[in-house]
Amino acid sequence: MAAGGVPVRAARKNAPPREDVLVAAMATIAERGLEGLTMAGLGREVGMSSGHLLYYFRSKDELLLQTLEWSEAELGSARRALLARRGPVTERLQAYVDLYVPTQARDPHWTLWLEVWNRSQNAGPQERDRQAAIEGAWHRDLVALLAEGISRGEFRPVDAERVATRIRALLDGFSIQLAVGLPTLDRTDILAHVREFLNDTLSPNGD
């Protein structure tokens, strides 16, 4: 039996689609921040009790991780579309950077990612593997992009794997500063710094 004496089978039938819950969770984070996301409040948004939500997601940690995975799937589609474009690799690399860096302070996707990252200290191996899969997708696409640029002569011959690791470390560092609202650099400044680094690192002429 489900909470409130409702049969589990009926609870499953009457529950909203999983994606509706994840969309509502992300919308709440965008509107009110993580502090505004509670199981009770989310349940009211989607017409479920907090008990039913816990039945499906087991914990708030799992809800947050699934919401992040859903958000990353959306970003992954956009990333694959831009990487498949025709034209110079340098332009697609800039588009990758633009998609990676948060749009503003308290960017909901980055806010969620930082929370999941923080909670990963107590996560189990399966949850850590799922987080690693998210990171791995961004990394593999960047390595492929760099390798294409090298093969076409747009980039100098570098170790694409190592350089991709450094680029993502740079992007992560700047993105965290922007996402948490540190009054140091705005997004325009950050993108300019990244462009300068990419030019210094990848330009075949060294200029």
Side-chain angles (χ1 to χ4, degrees), residues 1-188:
M1 298 288 285
V6 179
V8 169
R9 183 175 299 174
R12 287 176 178 166
K13 180 179 179 181
N14 295 329
R18 169 180 166 275
E19 187 169 335
D20 288 353
V21 177
L22 304 180
V23 170
M26 181 58 80
T28 299
I29 294 170
E31 293 170 9
R32 299 194 291 275
L34 275 166
E35 61 276 11
L37 179 63
T38 65
M39 299 301 272
L42 181 60
R44 287 192 294 272
E45 290 286 333
V46 297
M48 295 176 69
S49 70
S50 56
H52 282 163
L53 283 177
L54 286 172
Y55 175 80
Y56 290 110
F57 293 99
R58 302 194 306 276
S59 67
K60 188 173 182 179
D61 284 3
E62 177 62 21
L63 169 66
L64 293 175
L65 181 53
Q66 287 198 32
T67 304
L68 179 64
E69 289 173 325
W70 169 80
S71 179
E72 281 288 345
E74 296 285 305
L75 280 175
S77 297
R79 188 174 67 247
R80 287 188 295 273
L82 73 85
L83 295 180
R85 296 175 187 169
R86 296 181 181 274
V89 180
T90 51
E91 293 182 1
R92 281 178 279 151
L93 180 57
Q94 289 299 330
Y96 174 101
V97 170
D98 192 60
L99 188 64
Y100 199 109
V101 176
T103 56
Q104 59 190 1
R106 296 175 66 86
D107 177 278
H109 178 82
W110 268 92
T111 297
L112 175 58
W113 175 239
L114 289 173
E115 180 67 12
V116 171
W117 199 357
N118 181 57
R119 289 171 181 247
S120 69
Q121 298 176 79
N122 300 314
Q126 291 185 341
E127 288 75 22
R128 285 180 176 273
D129 286 346
R130 287 159 64 190
Q131 288 178 256
I134 293 172
E135 294 277 357
W138 282 94
H139 186 76
R140 287 190 300 273
D141 284 347
L142 180 55
V143 170
L145 199 56
L146 295 177
E148 182 183 352
I150 293 166
S151 69
R152 294 174 58 170
E154 292 187 44
F155 302 150
R156 70 178 67 168
V158 297
D159 184 327
E161 183 76 28
R162 289 174 63 83
V163 170
T165 298
R166 293 169 185 170
I167 291 172
R168 290 189 54 247
L170 179 73
L171 292 174
D172 283 343
F174 277 134
S175 294
I176 291 170
Q177 291 184 51
L178 180 56
V180 301
L182 292 180
T184 51
L185 300 171
D186 62 21
R187 193 171 194 271
T188 300

Side-chain angles (χ1 to χ4, degrees), residues 90 153-158 198-207:
T90 51
E154 292 187 44
F155 302 150
R156 70 178 67 168
V158 297
L198 293 178
N199 187 63
D200 290 345
T201 304
L202 299 173
S203 174
N205 301 316
D207 54 12

